[in-house]
Amino acid sequence: MCIKKSGLLPIIAACLVCVTGVHASPVSVIPKPVKMQVNEGSFAFDAGTAVVSPSTLMSQAHLLSTQLARATGFGVPVKDAIEAGGRTIQLHLEESQRLGKEGYHLQVTPEQISIRAQTQAGIFYGCQTLKQLCDPGIYASQPLADRQWLIPCVDITDYPAYPWRGMMLDVSRYFLDKEFVLRYLDIMALHKLNVLQLHLNDDCGWRVEIKAYPELTTQGAFRGKGAERVGGFYSQEDVREMVRYAAQRNITIVPELELPAHALAALVAYPYLGCTGKAHEMPTKHFISKDLYCPGKDTTWTFLEGVFQEIITLFPSEYIHIGGDEASYDRWKECPDCLAKMKALGIEPGHEYELQGWMNLRMEKFMLAHHRRIIGWDEILKCGVTPQAAIMTWHRPETSVQGAKRGNGVVMALTGHCYFDTPESKLPGELPGAGWLAPITLEKAYDWEPRPEGLSDIEARNILGAQGCVWTDMFLHQPWLADVPVLGERRSELYVEYFSLPRMAALAEVVWTPRGQRHWEDFQLRMRRQYTRYTNSQFNFRVPVPKVMVRGPGSPWVVTVENPVEGGQVHYTVDGTFPTVYSPTYQGPVTVEARDAFRAMTAAADGKHRSLVYESTSGSTR
Ligand code: ACM
Ligand code: ZN
């Protein structure tokens, strides 16, 4: 991250007045639990603590034990219920209407910790909360000898507001490999998110091995020549590993294969799939093609059904995403096969979207016959789908209202709150991102509600939840990373994490915690510790700029600062230079002669993760 140095200001004056600070509450859980009571005392987690579990929960018990053992250095043995006794962490499955499919009850007393749930998913979420009750060092990958592992006594009853709590990764425009996806699943698990949509094809890349159509990956997964050649794909064994890894963390991987548009990589591999039959090259820059699948040819259907047959064998998700966005019908309008198909279906020229609707219905029939349902971007609603399909709304919430009223499930992925490849601010030095949208600040990602207005309570049950999206159409192409050598780099992966964190935390709370219990100020306070969890987990994240309050007008002005990161420091200057970790550390209010003399930045606990610089002239403090 480079910080642009500009507009150096003259030294005015500064003096330290007194010490203030913001203190995180001792319990700081994200997303905020539905009901939580904090009691006196704590459970001392030590070398004698074991996890006790019935045989049905052994997979969760071992996952918890491994994670706790890594940072504490304790053995954390897993015992079966018969041996129960002593100071233990007990996992129980039990019937409870109140907790639902993903809820849990977590009780910590000085003698024992118990996590109860109806399902493995609930137990997993109870374990996530338990880790958040510990010192954030619990996320470290090495034993931390200097910590005391005191877990505060609590009584928590918790369950999510929405069943679809998703993130989307565009692995097509930039290939994010299996190792990265596994890491990203861990990031999602920390936030109790439960759907990862993989955008597996687009004009610039096809990313999943299909045995019946090998050219999809030999040709469609790579672009460029010689040393410039880049790309990659998931073998079917990779997919099985990712699906298994996700399932243990209660995450469903939803595959997305776009049709009829965003499909050029498939047409490069098999030109007969397009209307013209013409050969194409893989684009080496971001590109949205006008060449779509040709629905007028039977060979296209043989291909699509063959591909989706393998996809549903690989991915056990209830929903299969068929894309459906941004189709421009220029080729269909001139294709004899498409024109003949439209005539046979009674579709008027100019209503090509109805031909897309016919494709949707045909795909849906195929999926329903295989006990799956389709989901697609909101364009599919206009084109035509049955109420059994789900809609992913990226345009306006009104489409969601229309869908939910006719019975379609709806996932809100609104560009203004959920497109996380958009920058967080316009501050100098901010990571460049999708320029076609206004910045999505953390507050904007937090302060909204997936349930749109205008729905009855019964209709609102069709709002399945919300999803953050990380598009990568500008990665490694111009203009963002054009100057970056392509091969052997993890830079794009770090960018994906930076875009995702901390906005993923905001999304997590939007979809988990009831609207009435969500408060921006309280969220910011709890986030202070979340950043330390990110640091210890070695995730890349955007460090928040210090929150600066300038009181005046007057001479001098009094500047107070809230440090947004627990364990971090705020460094400041008053001489017009940009602060570094060697600049004075903020201890309390500072007085300055001119209000724009003050600049500050946050350094996280590791000193490596730093924020952009607060300048009063920048007009934004986020
Ligand atoms: C989209 O952003 N084209 C769904
Ligand atoms: Zn055609």
Side-chain angles (χ1 to χ4, degrees):
M1 173 67 39
C2 86
I3 293 172
K4 211 163 70 191
K5 301 202 175 199
S6 63
L8 297 185
L9 295 165
I11 299 174
I12 312 290
C15 75
L16 245 49
V17 180
C18 67
V19 176
T20 61
V22 178
H23 300 283
S25 61
V27 174
S28 177
V29 179
I30 289 181
K32 187 177 183 175
V34 173
K35 278 192 206 131
M36 178 169 74
Q37 185 181 315
V38 181
N39 300 320
E40 286 289 306
S42 55
F43 177 99
F45 178 70
D46 60 23
T49 307
V51 177
V52 175
S53 164
S55 56
T56 43
L57 288 174
M58 277 299 163
S59 152
Q60 292 302 329
H62 283 288
L63 190 60
L64 177 66
S65 150
T66 307
Q67 290 173 339
L68 296 177
R70 204 166 42 207
T72 61
F74 303 147
V76 200
V78 175
K79 300 181 176 177
D80 69 29
I82 299 149
E83 297 173 69
R87 291 175 49 267
T88 52
I89 303 170
Q90 308 237 354
L91 310 183
H92 302 275
L93 281 182
E94 65 182 31
E95 288 298 311
S96 164
Q97 292 293 328
R98 194 174 48 138
L99 296 176
K101 280 203 281 207
E102 296 181 293
Y104 64 93
H105 179 209
L106 166 64
Q107 198 172 34
V108 180
T109 68
E111 295 76 37
Q112 190 183 279
I113 296 176
S114 77
I115 302 174
R116 295 168 188 278
Q118 290 208 99
T119 60
Q120 299 241 4
I123 295 290
F124 179 72
Y125 290 141
C127 295
Q128 298 316 299
T129 299
L130 176 61
K131 284 197 289 166
Q132 292 201 7
L133 295 173
C134 296
D135 179 291
I138 203 72
Y139 292 91
S141 55
Q142 304 285 335
L144 300 178
D146 61 337
R147 305 292 155 109
Q148 267 201 310
W149 305 102
L150 292 177
I151 304 177
C153 290
V154 291
D155 199 320
I156 296 177
T157 303
D158 198 15
Y159 41 85
Y162 290 98
W164 187 300
R165 305 184 300 282
M167 283 300 305
M168 187 216 72
L169 283 181
D170 172 2
V171 296
S172 171
R173 269 69 166 269
Y174 176 72
F175 179 58
L176 295 158
D177 61 18
K178 179 191 73 179
E179 283 65 35
F180 181 79
V181 172
L182 299 182
R183 180 177 161 94
Y184 204 74
L185 288 165
D186 281 332
I187 300 178
M188 289 175 61
L190 167 66
H191 296 88
K192 302 191 176 95
L193 296 179
N194 68 351
V195 177
L196 174 62
Q197 178 179 329
L198 289 180
H199 185 76
L200 287 169
N201 79 316
D202 212 299
D203 294 315
C204 300
W206 182 284
R207 302 298 176 205
V208 57
E209 178 190 18
I210 301 293
K211 302 260 191 212
Y213 294 98
E215 309 273 298
L216 286 172
T217 42
T218 53
Q219 297 216 25
F222 297 91
R223 59 177 168 260
K225 298 210 163 57
E228 304 271 287
R229 185 170 155 86
V230 283
F233 63 92
Y234 308 117
S235 70
Q236 297 207 345
E237 196 41 49
D238 289 341
V239 171
R240 281 189 275 273
E241 186 181 339
M242 294 190 298
V243 166
R244 263 195 314 271
Y245 193 87
Q248 203 187 10
R249 288 151 184 80
N250 192 42
I251 298 173
T252 301
I253 300 187
V254 171
E256 178 191 1
L257 283 180
E258 286 261 24
L259 62 93
H262 291 284
L264 186 69
L267 272 57
V268 170
Y270 298 103
Y272 71 80
L273 296 170
C275 290
T276 63
K278 216 180 72 185
H280 300 275
E281 292 272 310
M282 284 298 287
T284 53
K285 292 185 178 141
H286 175 52
F287 176 62
I288 297 185
S289 175
K290 290 197 165 160
D291 285 283
L292 318 183
Y293 288 123
C294 175
K297 297 184 176 65
D298 289 346
T299 43
T300 305
W301 289 99
T302 308
F303 170 84
L304 288 175
E305 293 185 5
V307 166
F308 278 105
Q309 184 66 55
E310 292 194 32
I311 289 292
I312 57 181
T313 312
L314 286 170
F315 294 92
S317 57
E318 178 185 2
Y319 286 98
I320 306 290
H321 202 299
I322 61 162
D325 58 320
E326 297 183 309
S328 95
Y329 303 117
D330 302 30
R331 300 285 182 270
W332 287 6
K333 286 181 184 165
E334 304 201 330
C335 167
D337 297 314
C338 287
L339 290 171
K341 181 60 73 183
M342 284 175 59
K343 193 160 178 210
L345 294 169
I347 299 173
E348 300 280 319
H351 287 214
E352 286 74 17
Y353 64 88
E354 290 180 26
L355 185 58
Q356 187 177 345
W358 175 75
M359 284 190 90
N360 293 343
L361 292 175
R362 190 162 166 175
M363 280 322 307
E364 188 175 25
K365 201 164 156 204
F366 173 85
M367 295 299 176
L368 290 172
H370 292 84
H371 311 289
R372 306 301 178 92
R373 302 168 77 170
I374 59 166
I375 182 165
W377 299 107
D378 54 47
E379 284 94 330
I380 68 166
L381 192 62
K382 176 178 179 211
C383 297
V385 278
T386 75
Q388 296 195 70
I391 311 298
M392 187 164 274
T393 307
W394 63 292
H395 291 105
R396 293 168 311 125
E398 295 81 67
T399 322
S400 314
V401 174
Q402 199 190 335
K405 278 190 184 292
R406 71 191 282 273
N408 295 103
V410 176
V411 177
M412 304 293 271
L414 299 177
T415 55
H417 298 286
C418 302
Y419 272 34
F420 293 165
D421 52 309
T422 305
E424 273 200 44
S425 79
K426 289 189 171 167
L427 291 175
E430 183 60 87
L431 183 69
W436 59 285
L437 292 165
I440 300 180
T441 60
L442 185 60
E443 186 170 2
K444 211 164 165 228
Y446 184 79
D447 222 351
W448 70 289
E449 168 56 34
R451 176 179 169 168
E453 300 202 342
L455 293 177
S456 69
D457 286 350
I458 292 183
E459 290 162 345
R461 286 194 208 138
N462 291 329
I463 304 297
L464 301 176
Q467 181 166 291
C469 297
V470 183
W471 297 99
T472 59
D473 39 297
M474 297 293 172
F475 282 49
L476 290 183
H477 311 308
Q478 57 185 2
W480 298 356
L481 302 175
D483 54 345
V484 177
V486 169
L487 294 169
E489 279 259 5
R490 300 302 282 176
R491 178 172 294 214
S492 292
E493 287 73 7
L494 294 176
Y495 272 39
V496 170
E497 291 182 27
Y498 182 97
F499 278 132
S500 303
L501 300 176
R503 288 178 290 192
M504 191 193 285
L507 174 76
E509 197 149 306
V510 166
V511 285
W512 184 282
T513 310
R515 178 63 164 143
Q517 287 169 240
R518 291 198 274 121
H519 304 287
W520 166 239
E521 296 295 331
D522 162 61
F523 174 72
Q524 281 177 291
L525 277 184
R526 280 177 291 113
M527 279 304 291
R528 299 186 75 241
R529 189 166 300 166
Q530 188 81 346
Y531 295 116
T532 313
R533 294 181 187 123
Y534 296 159
T535 309
N536 287 325
S537 306
Q538 296 181 321
F539 298 149
N540 192 32
F541 62 99
R542 183 183 185 279
V543 178
V545 175
K547 197 166 167 190
V548 176
M549 280 120 338
V550 184
R551 265 186 292 123
S555 186
W557 298 76
V558 180
V559 182
T560 49
V561 179
E562 279 178 18
N563 173 0
V565 177
E566 189 178 86
Q569 308 278 3
V570 171
H571 298 280
Y572 70 93
T573 59
V574 294
D575 61 359
T577 58
F578 275 73
T580 69
V581 285
Y582 304 108
S583 306
T585 304
Y586 178 82
Q587 309 277 351
V590 174
T591 56
V592 287
E593 291 296 328
R595 70 171 298 161
D596 59 1
F598 187 84
R599 292 175 182 197
M601 64 94 160
T602 316
D606 64 356
K608 284 193 245 151
H609 285 93
R610 297 166 201 170
S611 76
L612 298 175
V613 172
Y614 163 86
E615 294 176 79
S616 67
T617 45
S618 62
S620 168
T621 60
R622 299 192 179 98

